[in-house]
Amino acid sequence: MGMMNAGDLPEVIPIFPLPGALLLPRSRLPLHLFEPRYMVMLEDALKTPHRLIGMIQPNEVPGRDGPGLYRIGCVGRITQFSETEDDRYMITLAGVSRFRLTEEVDGFTPYRRAQVSWTGFDRDLGPEEQDPDFDREQFLALLEQYFSARELRTDWDSLDEAKDELLINSLSMLLGFEPGDKQALLEAPSLSTRRETLVTLIEFTMRGGAEEMMQ
């Protein structure tokens, strides 16, 4: 399927609330489905021309009944799926566009669905973003300190060769930040803003780690 425009996107989509799971436009998110309701969701999505599933994070609010949701998520198109020997599914979602949740839709499906608005996210449907002020050398030096402090390993050659958007978005999705921090990365209005938010979170995490070691 070629590049979509906002008019191609449906007003109602299935949603998959998952804390800490971040999907961004033009990025890929692997998922493991095993709950019966989400297996039904997958089967239903595969029957549609768009094959879309909306990823959104729960947002628990004390005193409110039921699991709430953040207002902004990201829809992805199923590009790969395979069934395991124990009747589970491994799927890959390719990020298409962020959306704003308008309201949940009642119905007879075992999974949740929502009416959504695509207004304000036109850039998500365009070509990959650039970050003209990105200082890659300084960023990778900070990242190396972060990985070393947390005893993480990575393929530095691949990181060094990755384009700006792929590098920033992949790290935003993969690094283990809190759900609220993941949401801030999702809602960043531009790639530059997301990179600045990512740097702030990395620096904050490193400072926190140093303080814990001193205690």
Side-chain angles (χ1 to χ4, degrees):
M1 178 177 289
M3 192 172 291
M4 294 183 179
N5 59 58
D8 296 326
L9 297 171
E11 294 181 0
V12 176
I13 59 172
I15 53 174
F16 187 1
L18 189 61
L22 176 60
L23 176 63
L24 292 167
R26 294 175 296 277
S27 299
R28 296 183 180 274
L29 176 67
L31 290 170
H32 184 198
L33 303 184
F34 54 89
E35 289 188 47
R37 56 180 167 168
Y38 294 128
M39 295 170 75
V40 173
M41 178 185 69
L42 172 63
E43 292 168 2
D44 288 352
L46 288 172
K47 295 173 186 175
T48 67
H50 299 102
R51 303 198 309 207
L52 297 176
I53 292 175
M55 298 301 301
I56 194 165
Q57 291 198 108
N59 182 20
E60 304 291 345
V61 176
R64 184 171 66 191
D65 292 335
L69 299 170
Y70 279 100
R71 306 313 295 174
I72 294 177
C74 183
V75 76
R77 183 171 182 267
I78 303 164
T79 55
Q80 294 180 346
F81 72 96
S82 60
E83 188 173 1
T84 64
E85 293 182 357
D86 56 353
D87 297 326
R88 302 181 181 204
Y89 285 100
M90 299 295 295
I91 73 170
T92 299
L93 293 182
V96 175
S97 174
R98 289 170 291 178
F99 60 83
R100 189 177 302 277
L101 189 148
T102 305
E103 61 180 353
E104 285 204 56
V105 175
D106 294 328
F108 299 103
T109 59
Y111 54 87
R112 298 166 77 171
R113 297 186 304 148
Q115 183 172 334
V116 299
S117 168
W118 308 101
T119 302
F121 301 115
D122 294 344
R123 180 182 293 183
D124 292 356
L125 298 168
E128 68 179 47
E129 282 192 68
Q130 307 298 321
D131 186 357
D133 298 324
F134 184 32
D135 186 333
R136 178 178 286 259
E137 184 177 346
Q138 183 178 7
F139 178 81
L140 289 177
L142 173 66
L143 193 65
E144 188 171 5
Q145 293 176 30
Y146 175 83
F147 273 59
S148 177
R150 299 181 73 85
E151 299 182 346
L152 300 173
R153 295 182 179 181
T154 190
D155 182 348
W156 290 104
D157 289 338
S158 296
L159 288 182
D160 194 42
E161 294 171 2
K163 293 184 178 181
D164 293 356
E165 184 183 73
L166 177 61
L167 176 62
I168 294 165
N169 285 356
S170 296
L171 290 169
S172 297
M173 292 169 61
L174 291 172
L175 296 183
F177 300 123
E178 294 295 320
D181 297 331
K182 291 275 191 176
Q183 193 67 25
L185 291 164
L186 173 68
E187 296 185 16
S190 68
L191 185 63
S192 297
T193 310
R194 182 170 299 125
R195 185 249 309 157
E196 292 167 356
T197 304
L198 181 61
V199 167
T200 299
L201 290 171
I202 290 174
E203 291 177 340
F204 178 80
T205 302
M206 290 176 64
R207 285 199 302 271
E211 291 170 2
E212 290 174 3
M213 292 173 64
M214 293 173 62
Q215 293 178 354

